[in-house]
Amino acid sequence: MFSRFSLLLLLSLSVLSFALVLGGCAAAPPGQRGPLVQSITPDEYGERLCRHLDLEEYSACLSEVLEYFETHQSNTLADGRNSTSGPIALILERQVYLGQYAISPLAARFRVTRGQQWCEGSYNAMTGSADAIHRVVCSDGRRGQAELTSDLDGRNGIGELILDDGTRADLVFGYRALGIPDAIKK
């Protein structure tokens, strides 16, 4: 029979082994520039949400984002569910596009709009996508690729869109990062 100490040691080693396996799975696949999952700080969210602003507005924006993170940390909807979809923001050419994302274990998609302009992206491992890079198309005809990095909870994160003309844009997604609309909170 195992002693209590032996069982705890065995359980600890099992958890450590599982964490190492998961850590290896979180490494970037071939063709991807960054990790799929990493710890993301409030400063990183703020940098992406605010860097398109002028210097005077940047510090106020960053302060607001950091204050938000001190008071709002929910990933859970009012009925107690954890979400696999939510808000997403794209900051493209100093303009903020807002929309929704949806994820499942093997696929993801997003769509953002600003007035009549839009961009949407998706990947689907079941249809041959060998990586987690979103193929993106925008209403102005430009195409590109977006790479998203999830925070450790898997429902919030950051990313970058690179369009075929070399234009780069920032992405931020998730309820913790962007908030839960009042209509959903009720």
Side-chain angles (χ1 to χ4, degrees), residues 86-169:
I88 187 167
L90 170 71
I91 298 89
L92 172 63
E93 296 172 330
R94 299 179 61 107
Q95 302 295 313
V96 178
Y97 292 65
L98 297 174
Q100 294 289 310
Y101 76 90
I103 59 172
S104 67
L106 297 174
R109 62 181 163 71
F110 70 86
R111 181 177 173 87
V112 293
T113 61
R114 178 175 173 83
Q116 297 298 312
Q117 300 173 327
W118 54 265
C119 292
E120 59 187 16
S122 65
Y123 83 88
N124 187 337
M126 298 303 287
T127 61
S129 292
D131 50 36
I133 297 172
H134 289 72
R135 308 301 179 242
V136 177
V137 62
C138 296
S139 57
D140 63 7
R142 293 187 287 179
R143 297 179 176 276
Q145 295 183 339
E147 288 189 26
L148 301 178
T149 299
S150 292
D151 206 339
L152 297 177
D153 64 16
R155 293 182 299 275
N156 300 280
I158 58 177
E160 182 180 36
L161 167 62
I162 302 174
L163 294 170
D164 52 9
D165 66 0
T167 303
R168 293 177 178 262

